[in-house]
Amino acid sequence: MAEKPVVAAKAPIVLELEPGEYWWCACGRSKSQPWCDGSHKGTGLEPMKLDITEKKKVALCACKHTGHAPLCDGSHRTV
Ligand code: FES
């Protein structure tokens, strides 16, 4: 069974992203938030792929408890 994600931060990480493929850390253990650095190994959790087709600003979840991954849905207020 997968471990629970840890809270990396209690606020979203807002970034302006160029088009491309990104891997959002879902486990909260990465040292390079909000992106996966492989630290999820052994937790049963996996990163989530994010495809950006045009340059845009996103608020990425850092508490890892969002119901709208990988985007912030305000859940950091209750974790
Ligand atoms: S390091 Fe968190 S999902 Fe990969």
Side-chain angles (χ1 to χ4, degrees):
M1 196 170 139
E3 291 179 26
K4 289 204 176 354
V6 298
V7 176
K10 288 194 174 186
I13 297 171
V14 180
L15 295 174
E16 185 148 314
L17 298 178
E18 297 292 337
E21 180 182 301
Y22 299 86
W23 288 91
W24 175 76
C25 168
C27 74
R29 291 164 173 80
S30 172
K31 297 281 181 274
S32 36
Q33 291 297 329
W35 312 125
C36 174
D37 71 354
S39 299
H40 60 271
K41 199 169 175 210
T43 63
L45 296 166
E46 296 286 336
M48 177 179 282
K49 187 177 165 192
L50 172 63
D51 278 314
I52 300 290
T53 53
E54 57 189 34
K55 185 174 180 170
K56 71 172 168 183
K57 201 173 195 179
V58 290
L60 294 155
C61 170
C63 79
K64 313 301 176 180
H65 287 72
T66 178
H68 192 55
L71 304 176
C72 173
D73 72 352
S75 295
H76 57 272
R77 295 188 199 100
T78 57
V79 294

